[in-house]
Amino acid sequence: KDAKATQEYDASPALVYERCVASLDASFHEPEEAKSMRAKAAYEAVSFQGDFSKFQIDWMDALTSLGEAGIHKASKDLFLDYLSKLGQAKRIQIMSDQRFWPLKPRPGEVPVFRKASTWQEAALVAREMCMTADAGRALSDRNYNQQDQEGRG
């Protein structure tokens, strides 16, 4: 696109082609350290900005990138990171919530009344909180637009 804008594409298409091939080659042969650093930076950059759906997608993408880079975090680390990325208000609400876990026990498994202890459990509570907040706003605000507010909380 840049080459077309500067008309370099018409002047020397072979040079533009070589640059494209070099760029693709570099992206396919990214050093492990660079891949790890990029994955770690993406993970650290994830934060809740008011849209829970976007946050959850960013979180899952960051976890996938970490795994692909060979970076494995302990369950407790993921749980604490997840809570911190949601912010103080949501963290307090999640840590105040108690319910029976697991929500759908396997045969023979006894549910335990406790607080969330994994990032997946915290995500379920956070999603529920955001949905409740959205429902409350929809009921009280006749100008509420669900598509503009979906996932906020």
Side-chain angles (χ1 to χ4, degrees):
K1 289 181 183 180
D2 292 338
K4 275 192 173 187
T6 62
Q7 297 177 356
E8 184 180 21
Y9 179 77
D10 295 328
S12 62
L15 180 62
V16 173
Y17 174 77
E18 286 178 26
R19 281 190 203 151
C20 288
V21 169
S23 175
L24 287 171
D25 188 48
S27 67
F28 283 114
H29 300 294
E30 182 178 33
E32 285 299 315
E33 294 80 13
K35 187 176 186 178
S36 297
M37 292 303 291
R38 187 173 40 80
K40 188 175 180 199
Y43 176 81
E44 290 172 357
V46 173
S47 68
F48 180 73
Q49 300 295 324
D51 184 341
F52 182 74
S53 297
K54 182 179 179 340
F55 168 76
Q56 196 64 19
I57 290 168
D58 292 346
W59 171 259
M60 295 301 296
D61 287 346
L63 288 184
T64 301
S65 294
L66 283 179
E68 289 172 351
I71 300 172
H72 304 286
K73 290 186 151 276
S75 178
K76 187 75 169 181
D77 286 336
L78 290 172
F79 174 64
L80 295 174
D81 287 350
Y82 190 86
L83 291 176
S84 70
K85 290 174 182 299
L86 281 173
Q88 184 177 2
K90 291 220 179 319
R91 180 174 55 246
I92 290 170
Q93 286 181 302
I94 290 169
M95 293 312 301
S96 298
D97 181 87
Q98 290 192 27
R99 57 181 74 190
F100 284 98
W101 294 102
L103 295 178
K104 296 178 181 178
R106 296 183 189 113
E109 188 175 22
V110 179
V112 178
F113 191 73
R114 61 175 173 79
K115 296 177 182 180
S117 63
T118 66
W119 75 262
Q120 294 94 335
E121 292 172 353
L124 287 171
V125 176
R127 180 175 166 261
E128 185 179 284
M129 289 174 358
C130 291
M131 289 173 60
T132 302
D134 285 348
R137 266 194 300 277
L139 290 172
S140 64
D141 183 2
R142 62 180 86 162
N143 295 322
Y144 176 82
N145 181 341
Q146 185 177 7
Q147 285 183 333
D148 292 342
Q149 298 296 320
E150 192 168 304
R152 298 185 189 270

